[in-house]
Amino acid sequence: MWADLSPIGRNPETGGYRRHAWTGADADCRTWFQEQAETRGLTYETDRNGNQWAWLGDPAQGDAVVTGSHLDSVPDGGAFDGPLGVVSSFAALDELRARGAKFTKPLAITNFGDEEGARFGLACVGSRLTAGKLTREAAYELRDADGVSLPEAMEAAGYDPSTIGADPERLARVGSFVELHVEQGRALALSNSGSAAGSGDAVGIASAIWPHGRWRFDFRGEANHAGTTRLVDRRDPMLSYAETVLAARREAELAGAVATFGKIAVEPNGVNAIPSLVRGWLDSRAADQSTLDTVVTAIEKAAREYADRHGIDLDVVRESFTPVVEFQHALRDELGAVLRERTGREIPVLGTGAGHDAGILSESIPTAMLFVRNPTGVSHSPAEYAAEDDCLAGVRALADVLEGLACR
């Protein structure tokens, strides 16, 4: 499975993946998912929001156990973020069948669409729509860098955008959702020699997802000639933007949070032109809401001071926000008990600063997450990696959990 999926959407120049929503690479990933489902005799369907489902048993029975993740990527992303969870779900089903497991509940494997938000700027579109956290009207307003709207992209890919929206009937079928994911950090990879930060285990359980959001900073100045305009006469928004980037790093360090300006758009974007507009996107995350509010407020305050100093107009727009997600303790504890019984040891529980479909769905259905060790902690990069033995340990852990939830 891994070898079949590996070449899809890979950029030969960077080695990274460009599996953006409703593109050719995305279509190829969806075809792969459907083939995996049909090869196993599962009932395949696509829901009203373009999410893919592969069912074992009758969905109408209710109280289904669902697992899966996503197949799309960030620009030049790694091979593991998302796909590891989907591949492991199919592999876990294979493992359970090899064990002769008897299912007492329906089981489903899913691929949620547009989790990364690389094309339209909003993460977890498929699960947000399903959970009613993104309205059809707001979804219709989403556009990519070329001005293509979400419904236009869906229609071009052969899907009907008129059906998108909340899907409470589908969620009512689900009793629990467990998502396996490569760890996006090094907590599991650190040694077991008494370090409070790391456990040395191949698999861990998620405790919570930090609150996080995306803010757009629009710095507007005056375009002019780079060679003839005196420095004192310039209204250069790039200066204010650059100072704000440094302020973000400073404020995040002071608060023990993270803040990143990772995307920028410049107009007119000429080598010999002073910009008229610099638009930067801030991603910030923290362990709690109060800390996140403090960091973002301080960054915006600094940005406005820099803008005023250089005669720059500034608009700040919050484009998305996800509050802290505390995974349901009962389900989390059940995962821990199942794995403790199977392995004879306590499984580490750790938080994460990364958002996931499991977090979006957590207010609608019980959700939980398993993490697979990442030796470098690198993610959203072609260097993202997990050892095969650890991936197989993740498959076994997921199979154990699914057996505990769906075969009793």
Side-chain angles (χ1 to χ4, degrees), residues 29-286:
C29 287
R30 290 170 174 273
T31 298
W32 173 90
F33 182 95
Q34 183 174 356
E35 290 172 349
Q36 296 301 321
E38 293 174 347
T39 296
R40 290 167 174 78
L42 306 179
T43 302
Y44 170 79
E45 64 175 338
T46 303
D47 68 21
R48 62 190 299 176
N49 296 307
N51 305 310
Q52 294 179 290
W53 298 75
W55 286 95
L56 176 68
D58 182 7
Q61 179 182 331
D63 199 24
V65 176
V66 180
T67 186
S69 192
H70 65 94
L71 293 174
D72 66 311
S73 75
V74 298
D76 286 322
F80 292 80
D81 182 353
L84 180 62
V86 179
V87 170
S88 296
S89 297
F90 284 116
L93 174 58
D94 295 343
E95 166 71 12
L96 289 176
R97 282 175 160 171
R99 295 178 186 179
K102 304 298 182 183
F103 291 88
T104 58
K105 298 178 182 179
L107 176 74
I109 297 170
T110 187
N111 166 37
F112 282 105
D114 200 6
E115 193 271 354
E116 295 291 7
R119 183 171 181 184
F120 298 102
L122 178 65
C124 300
V125 170
S127 56
R128 284 182 192 273
L129 283 167
T130 300
K133 293 180 175 294
L134 175 64
T135 66
R136 179 188 303 181
E137 294 72 22
Y140 269 44
E141 294 300 314
L142 294 175
R143 281 173 167 71
D144 66 13
D146 296 320
V148 178
S149 70
L150 173 63
E152 289 170 341
M154 290 183 69
E155 193 166 23
Y159 291 80
D160 181 5
S162 68
T163 66
I164 66 174
D167 200 349
E169 296 85 2
R170 178 170 297 274
L171 290 179
R173 302 174 179 176
V174 180
S176 58
F177 174 65
V178 180
E179 181 174 4
L180 179 143
H181 205 281
V182 66
E183 188 192 357
Q184 293 167 293
R186 283 200 309 135
L188 289 172
L190 296 175
S191 73
N192 212 359
S193 57
S195 169
S199 66
D201 291 89
V203 178
I205 299 173
S207 59
I209 298 176
W210 287 10
H212 56 279
R214 296 177 181 181
W215 290 260
R216 190 186 77 237
F217 285 62
D218 292 344
F219 297 88
R220 300 182 186 276
E222 181 180 45
N224 215 326
H225 197 294
T228 62
T229 309
R230 297 189 310 160
L231 295 181
V232 70
D233 294 331
R234 300 184 179 201
R235 293 179 55 225
D236 185 351
M238 188 64 78
L239 295 178
S240 302
Y241 170 73
E243 290 171 318
T244 302
V245 172
L246 297 176
R249 174 60 180 260
R250 181 179 65 249
E251 297 299 335
E253 268 188 328
L254 289 172
V258 291
T260 308
F261 279 96
K263 180 180 177 181
I264 184 174
V266 181
E267 296 178 8
N269 204 28
V271 175
N272 58 351
I274 298 166
S276 59
L277 169 68
V278 175
R279 175 170 287 150
W281 281 265
L282 169 70
D283 179 302
S284 189
R285 312 173 189 223

